[in-house]
Amino acid sequence: LQSDGKIIAAGSQNDDSSVTAGNFAVVRLNTNGTLDTSFSSDGIHAFDLGASNRDLLKGLKLQSNGKIVIAGYNHTKDWGVARLNTNGTLDTSFGGGDGIIITDFGGNNDKAFDLVIEADGKIVVVGGTNAGSSDDFAVARYTTAGALDTSFSGDGKMILDIEKTNGGSGDGHDDLAFAAAIAANGNIIVGGTTVSGSDSDWATAMIVS
C-alpha cells in the first residue's frame, strides 16, 4: 500500500512454463480498485530485463520516497533488480542507466525471491544459486544507486551453505532463501528451506550487516 492508499501489485506477464518470453509487470490500482491511469499511462508497466527471454518477478518493496523496487530472475537464471519512479517509469538513476541491474552469482540456476530495504536505503535481495555443487542461500546488497555494495562481503554478494554452516561437510543439501527481514540491530535475517532427498527442513540464518 502507498501512503495515499493506492495499491501496487507486481508479478509476471506470460508467467507460464510453456513459454520462453515473459516480462516483469507492475500495476497500480486506485483505492476503489480501478487501474490508476496516472501510472505508466494505463496503470500497467510491463518490461523486459534485457535478455529477451522469460522474466519472473518475485519481490517488491516501496522506498520511503515512494519509488518501487522489484526483484526476480530471468530465464538465463541471473537476478534482476529494477526501480520504478512513482509515475511508473523506470528510474534511470538506478542500475546501469536504464533502471535495471543484472547480477550473476556464477551458477546456472540463480534465483531471487525477496528483498528488503535497510534504514539507509540500501537494498538486500535474497534467493539461491547453484554456483557450488548444490543449491545454496544467496544474498546481495545494492547501494541506493543500484550498484553492488562492496562494503558487503567484499563484492556485494555472499553465498551461504546451510549444511556446512550447521556443522556438516557442505555441498550436500539444496538450500533456497525465500524471505528477508532486517533485525533491530541492523543484521539481515534470511529464511528458507534446506533439502536432502525427500527430507525438507526450515532454515533461518542471521547475517552481520
Side-chain angles (χ1 to χ4, degrees):
L1 287 177
Q2 292 187 164
S3 59
D4 60 3
K6 291 182 178 181
I7 301 161
I8 302 285
S12 301
Q13 179 190 54
N14 290 334
D15 180 5
D16 187 322
S17 60
S18 65
V19 300
T20 57
N23 297 313
F24 276 17
V26 184
V27 174
R28 187 163 72 195
L29 305 176
N30 294 307
T31 56
N32 65 359
T34 59
L35 284 165
D36 176 11
T37 55
S38 69
F39 182 84
S40 191
S41 76
D42 61 358
I44 303 168
H45 187 175
F47 62 94
D48 187 85
L49 288 178
S52 298
N53 59 26
R54 184 174 174 232
D55 303 324
L56 301 177
L57 193 160
K58 296 295 183 180
L60 175 151
K61 289 291 186 298
L62 293 179
Q63 292 186 171
S64 59
N65 62 2
K67 290 186 178 184
I68 303 160
V69 184
I70 49 182
Y73 56 94
N74 59 29
H75 200 55
T76 55
K77 299 304 190 295
D78 291 328
W79 291 16
V81 183
R83 187 165 70 197
L84 274 61
N85 295 306
T86 55
N87 65 0
T89 58
L90 280 163
D91 179 5
T92 56
S93 70
F94 184 86
D98 58 359
I100 301 168
I101 180 170
I102 303 297
T103 302
D104 182 4
F105 273 83
N108 61 8
N109 196 31
D110 299 342
K111 296 180 178 180
F113 281 99
D114 195 24
L115 72 148
V116 64
I117 299 174
E118 297 182 328
D120 60 2
K122 291 181 179 180
I123 300 159
V124 176
V125 180
V126 303
T129 180
N130 65 345
S133 61
S134 62
D135 290 317
D136 297 312
F137 276 17
V139 183
R141 186 164 72 189
Y142 302 88
T143 67
T144 56
L148 283 166
D149 176 14
T150 56
S151 70
F152 180 79
S153 193
D155 61 358
K157 302 181 290 185
M158 73 160 297
I159 297 173
L160 177 63
D161 187 329
I162 295 297
E163 183 197 11
K164 187 173 184 179
T165 305
N166 201 38
S169 60
D171 285 330
H173 296 186
D174 287 321
D175 311 321
L176 195 57
F178 290 104
I182 303 299
N185 63 1
N187 288 342
I188 301 162
I189 303 170
V190 184
T193 58
T194 182
V195 179
S196 177
S198 61
D199 180 40
S200 180
D201 298 316
W202 289 13
T204 307
M206 180 179 284
I207 299 162
V208 177
S209 63

